[in-house]
Amino acid sequence: MIEKPHHVPDRLGLLSAAAAEPFLTEDLLKGVEGHGGVDLARVVDPLPEDDPRWEAEPLRELVEDAMHEFRDNRTHADAWLAPRLHAALRIVRREAADRRLWNHLALAVAPDYVAWRHLSTPASEQSESRINPARFRGALDRQCFSRLWWAAEMFRDGADYSPVVTACANQDLIHSALRRDLIDHRPTAQALVRVLGRGIATTGREIEGLMTAISAAGATLVYDALAPDEPRDPEALRQWVAEAESAPPVPRRSLPAGPDEEPVPEDSVAALTEFFAELFETAPVRGRTPQG
């Protein structure tokens, strides 16, 4: 397994996909050997020096704690790291949509974490362990860190990150949900977490079938009408971002607090939860015998 880079930058930067490509070596993707970091630093575009949000050390400490805490079960690290990454890196969606930020975090700050979390198990004695390059510089729903940040952003209930923990404990849910725009409707996200918690849909096939049915129903049913949401207060998010410099380190044993936004209306979540539960009964789940 690769080790921590010899040179870890003090601050996050922007690393384009083209600039990142030469550093995605076979040795790195096989988890054999990483890079020193010095050469990579030369192709990084800097972020504003006066913004405390770009300090790399808090994120580096988080991934090291995750690797230690979940050394016996790597997948469990997602549910722990997602809310803490979101709370530690106080950015807005526009900033989070810039893949260059995540490329830099993955390749310059924590390539050893990417390898630790996503090095595959060989399918046979003839195959080799390997990391999918998309975990370093892929789409936002596949890249190691962006997928966690966006999962936390989509599934948090205002300042409450507990639904994020439930969502990220199921790899199939976050993978399927982040590929669909409908998850940006807050009551939909919270209802999915409740459906999962009730054990209605838990396997990969069941979740994909439910998400397909939800998407199809959404083409004819406007979820905003069935389950209205309160408009987000942009001032709450602006204040949360502005407090980054004075914010304490994110807690390890308890959940942090997100932006002080209004929670999702309970009536809307309850209505959609029941609707999704009924929808699942006829959802196209591969391998399930249709109920007549």
Side-chain angles (χ1 to χ4, degrees):
M1 188 70 70
I2 68 172
E3 297 180 349
K4 176 182 177 181
H6 298 305
H7 172 76
V8 176
D10 293 331
R11 300 177 64 77
L12 295 179
L14 303 176
L15 178 66
S16 70
E21 191 64 32
F23 298 93
L24 293 172
T25 64
E26 280 300 303
D27 281 346
L28 176 66
L29 296 179
K30 291 177 181 178
V32 175
E33 184 178 7
H35 56 82
V38 176
D39 291 338
L40 188 148
R42 296 170 182 161
V43 296
V44 174
D45 293 324
L47 286 163
E49 288 284 344
D50 59 349
D51 195 329
R53 296 179 301 154
W54 309 131
E55 293 180 3
E57 184 178 1
L59 304 181
R60 181 67 220 181
E61 292 176 348
L62 268 180
V63 300
E64 289 181 359
D65 288 348
M67 287 189 285
H68 174 75
E69 184 71 21
F70 300 97
R71 57 191 178 277
D72 297 327
N73 195 321
R74 295 176 296 168
T75 59
H76 286 185
D78 286 355
W80 184 89
L81 184 58
R84 291 168 176 84
L85 173 66
H86 188 277
L89 185 58
R90 298 193 178 197
I91 57 179
V92 298
R93 293 187 180 189
R94 174 183 52 79
E95 294 167 321
D98 191 339
R99 296 188 189 184
R100 297 176 299 166
L101 178 68
W102 305 114
N103 294 345
H104 187 254
L105 177 55
L107 268 168
V109 178
D112 50 331
Y113 180 85
V114 181
W116 173 83
R117 174 62 184 85
H118 292 292
L119 187 66
S120 65
T121 301
S124 66
E125 293 183 0
Q126 288 73 39
S127 61
E128 294 182 300
S129 298
R130 188 176 175 82
I131 308 163
N132 187 330
R135 299 303 187 180
F136 286 102
R137 54 103 181 92
L140 294 174
D141 64 319
R142 299 293 292 168
Q143 202 267 359
C144 177
F145 296 109
S146 64
R147 64 191 283 272
L148 298 181
W149 189 95
W150 281 101
E153 173 68 5
M154 296 302 186
F155 285 105
R156 66 181 175 86
D157 186 6
D160 182 12
Y161 283 116
S162 58
V164 178
V165 176
T166 303
C168 289
N170 189 300
Q171 298 295 306
D172 297 300
L173 177 62
I174 59 173
H175 176 63
S176 183
L178 291 181
R179 291 186 288 113
R180 293 174 164 89
D181 291 339
L182 61 86
I183 202 64
D184 197 27
H185 181 240
R186 296 199 307 160
T188 294
Q190 296 308 312
L192 280 170
V193 170
R194 292 196 185 179
V195 166
L196 190 71
R198 286 165 56 172
I200 294 172
T202 56
T203 69
R205 288 183 177 182
E206 291 173 344
I207 289 172
E208 186 61 29
L210 175 61
M211 295 300 293
T212 299
I214 290 172
S215 297
T220 55
L221 173 70
V222 179
Y223 288 135
D224 278 325
L226 178 63
D229 191 11
E230 296 294 333
R232 295 191 184 200
D233 178 8
E235 183 56 35
L237 180 59
R238 284 195 290 265
Q239 183 66 26
W240 188 69
V241 170
E243 292 171 351
E245 184 173 13
S246 60
V250 295
R252 272 39 174 184
R253 297 300 175 187
S254 59
L255 284 175
D260 190 22
E261 298 172 342
E262 287 294 320
V264 182
E266 173 58 29
D267 289 347
S268 294
V269 179
L272 270 190
T273 300
E274 295 307 317
F275 178 74
F276 291 165
E278 294 175 7
L279 199 60
F280 179 69
E281 296 300 320
T282 56
V285 177
R286 187 160 56 92
R288 183 173 70 175
T289 303
Q291 298 180 13

